[in-house]
């Protein structure tokens, strides 16, 4: 079945450092790919999305490119801030997926120190 | 503002006392779903609804009921809660095309003693 694998956390960075969180997926069809962010005590917010191969999603300085050849959707940010501290989830969803559920990775906790 | 609203945010109850967690969306979404989030187990789908009067089981439906009488509302019902239903619950909605993004509510933290 479909699955998503993320790099394990926690990830600790200094402010203004470069961020990469790796995400790879397996899917039977042609999924849409998403990054969600969960701040402490809050729900999941959609950070960015890409619906087909070679699409680049971007938002708030974060970027991820849908790479079909490597089945990857790595999250990057050039300069992180303390306010980026949160848990980040990579996820996929596809039309033929029973129940229309989002398939999530296990989440990567990011901690940014001043 | 486009949003998914869940209530209550926090709930402490006792075993066997029926409860309902409400969920409402104002985006005219056809699809709605409930998830629970547990440490080490991630997010798991409980029930989903493709449209009004159309509901189906997700991965962990035991002990839960849902209904979809109106497009905007999708309540989660625990008829006889048990301690293993202590969890963080999220309602989510999307347009009917199943590769579109899900929009989540802020969550309901339920404790069953």
């Amino acid at each position: 079945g479909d699955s998503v694998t993320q790099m394990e956390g926690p990830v600790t960075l200094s402010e203004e450092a470069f961020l990469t969180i790796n995400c790879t997926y397996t899917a039977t069809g042609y999924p849409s790919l998403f990054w969600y962010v969960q701040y402490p005590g809050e729900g999941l917010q959609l950070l960015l999305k890409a619906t087909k191969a070679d699409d680049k999603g971007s938002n708030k300085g974060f970027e991820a490119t849908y790479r079909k050849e490597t089945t990857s959707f790595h999250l990057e940010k050039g300069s992180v801030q303390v306010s980026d501290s949160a848990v980040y989830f990579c996820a996929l969803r596809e039309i033929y997926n029973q129940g229309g559920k989002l398939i999530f990775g296990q989440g990567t906790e990011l901690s940014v120190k001043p | 503002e486009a949003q998914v609203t869940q209530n209550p945010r926090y709930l402490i109850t006792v075993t066997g006392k029926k409860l309902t967690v409400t969920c409402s969306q104002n985006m005219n979404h056809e699809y709605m779903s409930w998830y629970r989030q547990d440490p080490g187990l991630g997010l798991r789908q409980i029930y989903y609804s493709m449209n009004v009067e159309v509901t189906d089981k997700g991965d962990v439906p035991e002990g839960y009921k849902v209904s979809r009488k109106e497009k905007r509302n999708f309540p989660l019902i625990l008829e006889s809660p048990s301690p293993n239903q202590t969890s963080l619950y999220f309602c989510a909605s999307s347009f009917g095309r199943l590769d579109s993004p899900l929009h989540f509510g802020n969550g309901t933290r339920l404790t069953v003693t």
Side-chain angles (χ1 to χ4, degrees), chain B residues 20-78:
Chain B
T20 299
V21 183
T22 64
C23 174
S24 180
Q25 51 92 7
N26 62 1
M27 294 171 278
N28 202 35
H29 285 163
E30 294 85 8
Y31 180 95
M32 297 186 75
S33 181
W34 278 100
Y35 288 77
R36 60 179 289 175
Q37 185 179 30
D38 301 288
L41 296 175
L43 287 125
R44 296 176 291 170
Q45 188 186 54
I46 302 171
Y47 267 95
Y48 65 96
S49 169
M50 296 286 195
N51 215 322
V52 176
E53 302 291 3
V54 181
T55 63
D56 209 344
K57 297 176 181 178
D59 295 324
V60 287
E62 295 79 19
Y64 305 95
K65 283 177 56 176
V66 293
S67 68
R68 187 94 181 271
K69 295 184 170 57
E70 304 164 284
K71 195 172 187 179
R72 62 184 292 127
N73 295 324
F74 191 46
L76 180 70
I77 304 155
L78 286 73

Side-chain angles (χ1 to χ4, degrees), chain A residues 38-87:
Chain A
Q38 186 175 28
Y39 298 102
E42 297 187 15
L44 290 98
Q45 300 176 26
L46 178 66
L47 182 59
L48 53 83
K49 66 177 182 179
T51 57
K52 61 183 187 298
D54 299 325
D55 270 1
K56 177 186 280 189
S58 61
N59 186 25
K60 299 181 182 178
F62 291 90
E63 292 183 341
T65 301
Y66 190 141
R67 301 282 188 205
K68 193 168 186 293
E69 64 276 12
T70 55
T71 62
S72 64
F73 192 54
H74 305 321
L75 182 69
E76 296 182 335
K77 187 175 185 184
S79 176
V80 293
Q81 306 300 312
V82 172
S83 58
D84 293 326
S85 298
V87 180

Side-chain angles (χ1 to χ4, degrees), chain A residues 32 36 38 41 93 99 101-102, chain B residues 31 35 59 98-100 102:
Chain A
S32 291
Y36 282 84
Q38 186 175 28
R93 195 179 187 210
K101 65 184 175 185
L102 271 176
Chain B
Y31 180 95
Y35 288 77
D59 295 324
L98 294 184
D99 56 356
S100 56
L102 276 173

Side-chain angles (χ1 to χ4, degrees), chain B residues 13-14 36 40 57 74 79 82 88-89 94 97 104 112:
Chain B
T13 190
V14 296
R36 60 179 289 175
K57 297 176 181 178
F74 191 46
E79 298 234 325
S82 62
L88 180 58
Y89 291 87
S94 76
R97 185 177 168 92
F104 285 82
V112 183

